[in-house]
Amino acid sequence: MTTQVQILNGTYRNQPVSGMTFPLVRDFQTDAKGGNVVVANNGVFPGMPEQIRVRVSSIDDIKFVGDKPVSKPDNVVEFKTAPEAETDEQVMDRIEKRFNILDDMTKAAISGDIRAMIVVGPPGVGKSYGVEYQLEKAGMFDQISGKKIKYQVIKGAMTPIGLYCTLYKNSDPRNVLVFDDCDSILLDDVALNILKAALDSGKKRRIHWNADSSMLRREGVPDAFDFKGSVIFITNLKFDHLKSKKLQDHLEALQSRCHFLDLTLDTTRDKILRIRQIFRKGDLFQDYELTAEQGEEIVQFMQDNHARLREISLRMALKLADLTKIGDNWQALAESTCMRHG
């Protein structure tokens, strides 16, 4: 016996399957590309495998059909019943707890209680904002008194020798270096070796540059120094999805030296509820003169049109808020400027 599942909103190889019903093989789960369910083809797609993976945005895009299980087709394995799905409130509480942990861990890096942290999550959910807010808050008195700020945020590309110089300039105790979407250093084995030395678990973290360099001479950087600061990596990369075995080994060694925080925002539903969570705190549209009803209308618009919007993020919510300044027809403007077509 197995169960039938109706796809309310989904695709198979970019072909819509909305409204179709299939025997379920494997229940809803997420992967690098989003949500999916595995179902029996049953000849619906000729020439395709007997079991196919249908892409869906969230578990709400599928519905179990019938009161009783129906006969299991040949070559289809039984699925295991998934645990009861989280309610929206539970998801928002889970997400809020994760971001509170991010605040606490950032404070620990600032105080020097931890040496390194890796923060993983999709773009546009507020990873960078939370970290930078805590750093600015901690550095406020240094800024007022004209002292050197003890943190630096690095964005964009960086070479290994550039990394070496940056670590040297921020090597004092309680200095914090933040690499925000600076993934080039996480995908270069030389840079990763430098980072492993900088974040080693020993009492002394000695870093060496054993090659002649005019850049080091010009910048007055020695060919060896002790790093005593802390490092925070903010990235969208899922380390276990990288294909290079060599890089995976380096990254595993780096992870073993760092606290690792996955913000668990893996589905469209999670992202929508993250936006709703920020909205209910009153922080999302605080710089806009919007009523509560207008704010709710924007969030609901994103939820209703999540499959067509170019991205689901806090940035998109603010783009939509910008459009409300133009006129009451902001939904029509959003359809032209923020949605996919065709």
Side-chain angles (χ1 to χ4, degrees):
M1 303 289 286
T2 193
T3 296
Q4 298 276 333
V5 64
Q6 183 182 24
I7 309 298
L8 302 178
N9 185 20
T11 59
Y12 172 64
R13 296 197 173 189
N14 296 322
Q15 299 181 62
V17 294
S18 302
M20 295 185 183
T21 300
F22 301 89
L24 183 65
V25 176
R26 191 173 65 211
D27 209 350
F28 175 82
Q29 62 178 18
T30 59
D31 58 21
K33 296 180 180 178
N36 69 79
V37 289
V38 177
V39 298
N41 184 359
N42 275 10
V44 176
F45 294 97
M48 293 293 107
E50 293 178 357
Q51 298 179 10
I52 61 174
R53 181 180 284 106
V54 174
R55 291 285 168 193
V56 293
S57 295
S58 74
I59 198 169
D60 297 327
D61 289 334
I62 65 173
K63 182 175 78 173
F64 296 108
V65 178
D67 298 326
K68 297 180 180 179
V70 297
S71 298
K72 183 177 104 173
D74 294 337
N75 302 320
V76 176
V77 298
E78 292 283 358
F79 76 103
K80 293 181 180 179
T81 304
E84 187 175 343
E86 293 175 288
T87 65
D88 287 357
E89 286 296 322
Q90 287 172 329
V91 173
M92 285 191 281
D93 288 342
R94 164 171 58 81
I95 293 170
E96 185 171 23
K97 190 178 295 183
R98 287 274 167 169
F99 276 87
N100 288 339
I101 291 170
L102 177 58
D103 288 344
D104 291 340
M105 296 297 283
T106 303
K107 292 174 186 175
I110 292 168
S111 64
D113 292 331
I114 66 169
R115 296 184 177 187
M117 172 173 62
I118 299 171
V119 186
V120 176
V125 296
K127 304 187 301 295
S128 306
Y129 174 82
V131 171
E132 290 183 30
Y133 176 80
Q134 295 300 330
L135 289 168
E136 289 170 3
K137 186 176 173 183
M140 188 181 301
F141 292 111
D142 286 339
Q143 196 167 19
I144 291 172
S145 59
K147 295 181 181 177
K148 180 188 173 184
I149 303 298
K150 293 184 178 180
Y151 70 87
Q152 185 176 359
V153 179
I154 309 293
K155 301 188 180 188
M158 177 170 276
T159 62
I161 195 167
L163 171 65
Y164 181 87
C165 292
T166 300
L167 288 167
Y168 172 72
K169 292 172 184 176
N170 295 272
S171 59
D172 292 338
R174 296 208 173 187
N175 276 19
V176 182
L177 261 177
V178 180
F179 295 101
D180 187 359
D181 284 337
C182 189
D183 293 340
S184 57
I185 61 170
L186 298 176
L187 300 174
D188 184 290
D189 55 349
V190 176
L192 282 168
N193 280 324
I194 293 171
L195 289 171
K196 285 191 290 183
L199 305 177
D200 192 51
S201 54
K203 288 184 178 179
K204 213 170 189 182
R205 293 177 277 163
R206 190 80 169 165
I207 310 175
H208 297 266
W209 186 269
N210 296 317
D212 182 62
S213 171
S214 59
M215 178 178 176
L216 297 189
R217 290 193 295 273
R218 186 173 63 250
E219 297 288 328
V221 178
D223 56 11
F225 66 91
D226 294 327
F227 183 74
K228 300 174 183 177
S230 299
V231 177
I232 298 174
F233 303 95
I234 303 174
T235 181
N236 309 327
L237 285 178
K238 291 284 190 181
F239 288 4
D240 52 348
H241 294 155
L242 292 175
K243 293 181 180 179
S244 168
K245 179 67 169 62
K246 185 178 179 181
L247 277 178
Q248 280 187 347
D249 291 342
H250 278 305
L251 286 169
E252 283 176 12
L254 182 63
Q255 278 182 262
S256 72
R257 291 160 166 79
C258 301
H259 294 272
F260 189 89
L261 179 61
D262 188 336
L263 295 174
T264 64
L265 290 159
D266 296 320
T267 68
T268 300
R269 181 188 181 212
D270 288 340
K271 295 173 192 174
I272 288 287
L273 291 175
R274 166 62 174 164
I275 293 166
R276 191 169 285 284
Q277 176 225 339
I278 297 294
F279 172 62
R280 79 176 178 179
K281 284 174 62 180
D283 295 341
L284 184 55
F285 302 122
Q286 60 183 354
D287 296 328
Y288 293 80
E289 296 179 359
L290 297 177
T291 64
E293 291 75 16
Q294 287 173 313
E296 174 61 37
E297 191 177 4
I298 291 172
V299 176
Q300 191 61 48
F301 179 86
M302 293 187 70
Q303 185 169 328
D304 293 342
N305 296 279
H306 67 269
R308 293 184 58 205
L309 285 168
R310 296 187 183 278
E311 66 174 352
I312 301 298
S313 66
L314 296 170
R315 284 190 290 264
M316 179 59 74
L318 298 182
K319 283 181 185 178
L320 296 175
D322 287 335
L323 294 179
T324 65
K325 300 174 184 177
I326 300 175
D328 294 334
N329 66 332
W330 65 267
Q331 293 97 331
L333 296 173
E335 189 157 345
S336 297
T337 63
C338 300
M339 290 187 178
R340 299 184 185 91
H341 301 281

